[in-house]
Amino acid sequence: MKRIVLKLSGEALLGKERSGIDLESLFRIAREIKKAKKPSTQLGIVVGGGNIWRGARDQGLGLERVISDNMGMLATLINALALQNALEQVGVSTRVMSAIAASNVSEPYIRRRAIRHMEKGRIVVFAAGTGNPFFSTDTAAALRASEIGASILLKATNVDGVYSGDPRRDKKAKLFRHIALSDAIARRLGVMDATALALCRENNMTIRVFNLHKTGNIVRAIAGQDIGTMVTP
Ligand code: UDP
C-alpha cells in the first residue's frame, strides 16, 4: 500500500483564465487523478490558492499580511471544494479536510481521521494550508506528507522539474533528473520554499517535481514513473 501526497498549486486550475478556476483544467485534472487512483494507492491532495489570492503578493500596501494570508487560506478552500466536486462527478469519493474551522462546508483536519478516509479508498483534499499565516501550501504539503507518513510528496509545477536556473529566463538552465535535498537547499534551487524544504529534510521526505501541463503526468507520477526531478533526503 502506497501513501502519497500530491501538491497542486492554485495555478494548476487557472488554465486560460487570468484568475479563478478554469473548469476545463479542473475536470482534466480530476479525470487524471481518477485514472491514477488505484486501490493500492492512498492519496491526499494539498491544493494551493494562488489562482485566487496569495497573501504576500496581493496584500499590496493596503492590507495587513495576516489578514491577507487568511484570505489566501480561504482561497485554497474554494479550490478544494471545486476539486472535490469535480472528483466526485467523475466518480471518485473525496473528503475535504480544512485546517481552518469551516464545518458547514468541510471536515476539520484530524490526522487519524484523514488516514482512515484514505484507508477506505477516499481521496482527502487538504484545505487551508497549515491554518497559520506566513506559511505556504508547499509547507502544508510537506507537513501533511510527514504527518500521515507518506512515502513521497509529488509536486506538480509549470516546468519539467528542478533546474539549475530559471528555465523561462535562462536558456542554459539545466534540468536535474536527481538531486539531493541538501544540495537543492544550499543552491537555493526553486523546488519549494525554504520552510517546506527544511521540513522535508527533517522528516526524510522524498519529493518528485514534475510538469503538470503534460497530459498523463499525474498518472505517471502517482504510478512511480521516473519523470521530472527526484529530490531525495
Ligand atoms: N497561506 C497561509 N498559510 C498556509 C498556506 C497558505 O497563510 O499555511 C496563504 C498565503 O497567503 C498563500 C495563500 O494562502 O499565499 C495561497 O497559498 P499558496 O500561495 O501556497 O498557493 P499556490 O502557490 O500553491 O497556488
Side-chain angles (χ1 to χ4, degrees):
M1 187 61 73
K2 286 191 297 187
R3 190 174 290 159
I4 292 171
V5 167
L6 171 68
K7 163 69 207 300
L8 289 177
S9 67
E11 271 180 36
L13 307 178
L14 258 186
K16 301 169 296 294
E17 306 292 335
R18 286 177 57 114
S19 76
I21 299 172
D22 169 51
L23 293 186
E24 216 178 291
S25 302
L26 176 73
F27 277 93
R28 176 182 75 80
I29 290 169
R31 281 190 298 270
E32 273 213 37
I33 292 168
K34 177 188 166 77
K35 217 167 154 188
K37 174 75 181 74
K38 303 278 181 269
S40 60
T41 312
Q42 297 180 5
L43 184 62
I45 302 174
V46 172
V47 66
N51 55 320
I52 299 171
W53 191 267
R54 207 173 255 146
R57 179 194 65 192
D58 296 324
Q59 72 181 127
L61 296 174
L63 293 177
E64 286 170 44
R65 173 68 190 267
V66 172
I67 305 303
S68 193
D69 277 341
N70 288 346
M71 292 164 67
M73 286 188 277
L74 293 178
T76 73
L77 186 57
I78 293 177
N79 286 337
L81 293 178
L83 186 61
Q84 175 182 40
N85 194 234
L87 283 168
E88 298 220 316
Q89 287 199 40
V90 299
V92 186
S93 180
T94 308
R95 295 288 185 273
V96 173
M97 301 193 109
S98 174
I100 286 182
S103 57
N104 289 339
V105 295
S106 66
E107 294 181 23
Y109 170 68
I110 297 168
R111 175 181 169 272
R112 289 172 61 120
R113 205 194 269 177
I115 292 171
R116 191 78 194 107
H117 281 318
M118 288 189 286
E119 285 170 349
K120 286 185 176 165
R122 298 170 186 142
I123 289 179
V124 175
V125 181
F126 297 108
T130 65
N132 299 288
F134 304 110
F135 290 100
S136 67
T137 51
D138 278 356
T139 299
L143 178 64
R144 295 291 180 249
S146 303
E147 277 183 281
I148 66 171
S151 56
I152 193 163
L153 168 55
L154 301 173
K155 170 152 163 93
T157 63
N158 293 323
V159 291
D160 281 337
V162 182
Y163 286 83
S164 56
D166 181 348
R168 283 167 298 193
R169 276 184 231 146
D170 178 4
K171 287 270 169 295
K172 290 196 202 115
K174 173 178 160 277
L175 175 71
F176 295 104
R177 297 303 316 283
H178 174 244
I179 188 162
L181 198 40
S182 52
D183 283 346
I185 294 172
R187 297 173 65 171
R188 294 171 189 270
L189 301 177
V191 186
M192 297 195 296
D193 58 79
T195 314
L197 290 178
L199 210 50
C200 287
R201 185 171 55 183
E202 271 163 41
N203 295 295
N204 277 321
M205 184 61 60
T206 300
I207 310 162
R208 183 180 293 287
V209 182
F210 68 96
N211 192 335
L212 170 88
H213 300 293
K214 285 196 181 144
T215 307
N217 262 2
I218 291 180
V219 178
R220 290 183 197 101
I222 290 176
Q225 288 184 28
D226 189 18
I227 57 166
T229 305
M230 181 87 140
V231 189
T232 46

